[in-house]
Amino acid sequence: MNPSPSDRTYPRRRSILKALAATPLLTACVTSGNDDQPAAQSGTKSAQNPLGVKEDAPLEVVIFKGGYGDDYAKKAEDLYKQRYPKATIDHKGIQKVGEALQPRFVANTPPDVVDNTGAGRLDLATLVGAKQLGDLSELLDAPSFEDPNTKVRDTLLPGVVEDGTFDKQVLTLNFTYTVWGVWYSKSLFASKGWTYPKTWDEMLALCATIKGAGIAPWTYQGKYPEYMNDPLLTMAAKTGGMDLVKAVDNLEPNAWKAEGLKGAAEAFAELAAKGYIMAGSEALSHTESQASWCQGKAAFIPCGSWLESEQKDITPKGFDMVMGAVPSRTGGDKLSGAAVQAASSESFLVPAKAKNVAGGLEYLRILFSKQSARSFAESAGTLPAVAGAADGLTLSSGLGSVRDAVTAAGKDAFTYRFRTWYAPLAKAVDDATGELINKRATAAEWAERIQKAADAVSKDSNVKKYTR
């Protein structure tokens, strides 16, 4: 996993999309439970209490206290207390979630709500297999906190429900929303009269101009070529549409040899062939490459929407970083030019063996309200998973551009899931892309290498398969 300034101050690619590959702090010793735990507490359902919360039932909330802190969670608890004043709330803000909670899951005495985030989080695959996670469908079908005529599921951004779905059950709900794109300095572009390109031909033409101005067109987080996968795979999805994305995730034969993927690989190979990637980028860490970019040594860098916050201490005043959507490669793309790769993170769950399941669900209904999400966006500088929560806010240049990108993409926000489902395949893609953009492999060799890895996963009977 990439190094991080904290356990998860601003989650990087693998920490977001490889939840199933997290450090397995829960092992086979976790069982599906016994009958010794107290009966779950519940009350009478009503229009004001759609989930049947017992008004005086205690609620225990465990929050990962990382880069976002835990004040946002406490504010949601305050709203819970306003609705249920007889309830006592036990709030725990911690960092090593897995270490603290593993014994409690083993003993079937888990908290009522868990923010399962950070480098030491609980392993979702084990929790799912042991049936330790409560089904969140009732929450999603309940009326939202602010609008009784709108279900909770209908307030969430694209992909959020699917991100928490395992074998057709929604078992986690992610609170933040990460978007991937290509970043540049708005002030630099304005001073040079450059316009962000909408097509790949425009990108190549602009790269020639940038190089002529004595600036490297691109750099990337060289030690972690997965960062360059994001624009490459986004371009492929735009060309081939969701049929291509699903074929890849479903391990379909020859999926990686599709024209959309080969074409995208050719496009990024051309960046390298024309000398448009900053010399020495391959040897740089994420912090080193991003620092070079902030220093004006390169015009473009691929990254997720955490970049602005991660760079806040070293970004020059007036740099005004913004994120653009990956340019389209063909005129016949199946997804719009505004399409972006996006996924939710900061995973919340209600344990199946919690004492106050109804209270846990109600807490999440409050946390995922527009009111709570809007407060989070203001304090954390990160886009929440609730649609429209950041609308109308005065945001920084980077976060504002991310919000605008999500709005422009609409239903064309998408994500691949193979990274979450199949860690060996994810590594094979990373390695192959590193070879591609450093001129040690052709696009055809890139596709062949990854297809072999996908076929190996497909044929391995020990690997649980998922479909979408």
Side-chain angles (χ1 to χ4, degrees), residues 242-452:
M242 288 307 297
D243 287 343
L244 181 149
V245 175
K246 290 177 181 179
V248 164
D249 288 343
N250 293 341
L251 302 176
E252 292 183 11
N254 293 319
W256 286 92
K257 297 181 180 180
E259 286 303 314
L261 281 159
K262 288 172 63 178
E266 289 168 356
F268 281 85
E270 192 171 7
L271 274 185
K274 292 189 173 182
Y276 292 159
I277 299 177
M278 187 176 77
S281 290
E282 183 181 14
L284 300 179
S285 67
H286 64 289
T287 54
E288 291 167 339
S289 61
Q290 291 163 194
S292 294
W293 173 71
C294 282
Q295 293 162 5
K297 296 178 181 178
F300 295 113
I301 192 168
C303 201
S305 51
W306 63 82
L307 179 64
E308 184 180 43
S309 294
E310 191 168 69
Q311 296 300 109
K312 64 182 179 181
D313 292 335
I314 66 169
T315 303
K317 187 176 181 179
F319 187 78
D320 293 337
M321 68 173 70
V322 290
M323 189 195 78
V326 175
S328 302
R329 186 171 184 271
T330 75
D333 283 0
K334 293 184 179 179
L335 295 183
S336 70
V340 292
Q341 192 172 172
S344 56
S345 58
E346 197 86 9
S347 181
F348 281 80
L349 55 91
V350 175
K353 304 297 182 182
K355 292 181 181 179
N356 190 4
V357 169
L361 295 176
E362 176 71 355
Y363 174 77
L364 292 185
R365 189 171 78 103
I366 294 170
L367 181 67
F368 281 79
S369 67
K370 188 170 288 188
Q371 177 181 347
S372 292
R374 187 178 184 85
S375 176
F376 174 81
E378 289 179 305
S379 63
T382 297
L383 198 66
V386 178
D391 289 354
L393 294 178
T394 301
L395 303 176
S396 60
S397 61
L399 184 56
S401 71
V402 171
R403 177 195 60 192
D404 294 346
V406 171
T407 300
K411 293 184 178 180
D412 278 350
F414 69 94
T415 191
Y416 291 84
R417 305 199 182 278
F418 73 90
R419 298 196 69 88
T420 305
W421 294 343
Y422 311 116
L425 177 56
K427 185 178 187 307
V429 177
D430 295 346
D431 293 345
T433 297
E435 296 296 289
L436 175 78
I437 57 179
N438 286 288
K439 299 183 285 188
R440 294 189 293 267
T442 65
E445 290 167 341
W446 174 89
E448 181 67 30
R449 177 171 173 171
I450 299 173
Q451 189 58 56
K452 286 183 178 179

Side-chain angles (χ1 to χ4, degrees), residues 10-272:
Y10 294 96
R12 208 153 278 103
R13 176 67 147 135
R14 291 182 183 176
S15 64
I16 294 171
L17 293 184
K18 293 177 69 177
L20 292 182
T23 303
L25 293 174
L26 273 173
T27 61
C29 63
V30 177
T31 67
S32 58
N34 55 44
D35 297 322
D36 296 337
Q37 70 275 10
Q41 304 181 58
S42 60
T44 302
K45 294 183 179 181
S46 66
Q48 288 297 309
N49 187 4
L51 294 166
V53 176
K54 187 179 180 183
E55 295 187 3
D56 61 351
L59 180 72
E60 184 181 2
V61 180
V62 175
I63 300 295
F64 171 70
K65 191 173 181 178
Y68 301 139
D70 59 353
D71 285 347
Y72 73 95
K74 291 178 180 178
K75 289 180 180 178
E77 291 164 17
D78 290 342
L79 292 174
Y80 187 98
K81 282 285 290 182
Q82 290 175 24
R83 182 66 65 93
Y84 307 101
K86 296 179 181 179
T88 58
I89 298 179
D90 179 5
H91 173 96
K92 294 181 175 70
I94 63 176
Q95 290 191 339
K96 297 181 180 180
V97 176
E99 181 179 307
L101 297 186
Q102 177 181 355
R104 297 187 58 183
F105 274 91
V106 172
N108 289 316
T109 59
D112 302 309
V113 180
V114 178
D115 171 12
N116 186 41
T117 309
R121 63 193 178 275
L122 296 156
D123 179 39
L124 281 181
T126 304
L127 290 172
V128 170
K131 301 187 184 303
Q132 289 277 351
L133 303 184
D135 190 334
L136 302 182
S137 298
E138 184 180 8
L139 164 66
L140 293 171
D141 290 328
S144 64
F145 191 66
E146 284 109 348
D147 182 1
N149 297 314
T150 303
K151 293 180 179 180
V152 171
R153 69 169 70 245
D154 295 329
T155 68
L156 304 175
L157 287 169
V160 175
V161 173
E162 190 176 359
D163 286 342
T165 300
F166 302 84
D167 289 337
K168 299 182 180 180
Q169 278 191 307
V170 184
L171 302 177
T172 67
L173 200 57
N174 297 343
F175 189 57
T176 63
Y177 203 66
T178 300
V179 186
W180 287 269
V182 181
W183 291 77
Y184 62 101
S185 166
K186 188 175 181 180
S187 59
L188 171 65
F189 272 50
S191 70
K192 299 290 188 181
W194 299 337
T195 301
Y196 185 79
K198 293 183 177 180
T199 69
W200 195 246
D201 286 344
E202 290 175 359
M203 170 61 81
L204 293 176
L206 179 56
C207 284
T209 299
I210 293 171
K211 188 175 182 180
I215 301 172
W218 281 66
T219 188
Y220 76 104
Q221 301 80 344
K223 291 183 177 179
Y224 313 106
E226 62 197 68
Y227 282 84
M228 199 64 110
N229 281 332
D230 297 321
L232 191 161
L233 294 178
T234 297
M235 180 181 288
K238 288 187 176 187
T239 301
M242 288 307 297
D243 287 343
L244 181 149
V245 175
K246 290 177 181 179
V248 164
D249 288 343
N250 293 341
L251 302 176
E252 292 183 11
N254 293 319
W256 286 92
K257 297 181 180 180
E259 286 303 314
L261 281 159
K262 288 172 63 178
E266 289 168 356
F268 281 85
E270 192 171 7
L271 274 185

